[in-house]
Amino acid sequence: MRADVYFSLDVEADGPIPGPYSMVSVGLAVAGRFDGTFRGADPAEHTFYRELRPISDDFVPEALAVSGLDRNTLLRDGSDPATAMAELSAWVTRTAGDDRPVIVAYPAVFDWMFLYWYLLRFTGASVFGHSGCLDMKTTYAVKAGVPLSAAVKGRMPKHLLSQRRHTHHALDDAIEQAELFANLMNWAP
């Protein structure tokens, strides 16, 4: 049985779904490894970040504004999505080694949806497979014994939360959420 290597993921996008809209940045940070025992990692030590060139002319200005990124700059200087996804896949493969890479995110559905779609569209495969994703929101709900609607950061015990700010910069937020994930994995309520 292979161990899991958890990659905290955060994406910023210029709309609600991939395809018609674009992932404008992606950040990954290694959160830890689990082989029956969880061992957290320094999430700032092993990271990946890219800003991407938009793939369509459509965007929601309010969604793009969240990231603080400039569309014209992304169109001019953003990484080609195919190149960025190939680099991401190679980095994940190298970093995970013989272990299984697994995405963790809070909440996972949005970030996973964009990353999985981009990986399939631009590389033909997902380095995480079709199900290598674990949702931190669900993890908290199960451990805390609360409904999913109550699994929000504002209701979590403060010792579970990262001391880092949530900035809407994909790498900053991936690192912040890696700390949350490690705290959740080590938490025995």
Side-chain angles (χ1 to χ4, degrees), residues 8-12 25-31 42-51 66-69 104-106 111 136 153 161-181:
S8 176
L9 166 69
D10 190 73
V11 307
E12 298 299 327
S25 64
V26 58
L28 292 167
V30 174
D42 174 355
E45 186 176 343
H46 298 289
T47 63
F48 180 91
Y49 177 74
R50 293 292 182 278
E51 293 177 2
V66 170
S67 71
L69 297 172
V104 295
Y106 183 94
D111 303 272
M136 287 186 232
K153 290 180 182 177
L161 302 174
S162 172
Q163 297 303 305
R164 298 172 191 264
R165 287 180 354 133
H166 193 81
T167 64
H168 293 289
H169 180 282
L171 183 55
D172 290 348
D173 292 353
I175 292 170
E176 174 220 355
Q177 292 174 141
E179 291 178 349
L180 170 61
F181 181 73

Side-chain angles (χ1 to χ4, degrees), residues 85-110:
M85 293 302 100
E87 291 170 345
L88 182 149
S89 295
W91 178 79
V92 167
T93 299
R94 223 177 20 258
T95 303
D98 293 332
D99 296 329
R100 179 181 185 212
V102 176
I103 285 294
V104 295
Y106 183 94
V109 66
F110 181 83

Side-chain angles (χ1 to χ4, degrees), residues 10 33 51 55-56 63 66 71 78 96 112 116 120 126 128-129 131 136 139 143 145 163 168 179 181 183:
D10 190 73
R33 184 175 183 278
E51 293 177 2
I55 61 172
S56 79
V66 170
R71 185 165 178 83
W112 172 256
Y116 185 72
L120 291 183
S126 169
F128 301 99
S131 64
M136 287 186 232
T139 301
K143 281 192 157 198
Q163 297 303 305
H168 293 289
E179 291 178 349
F181 181 73
N183 292 341

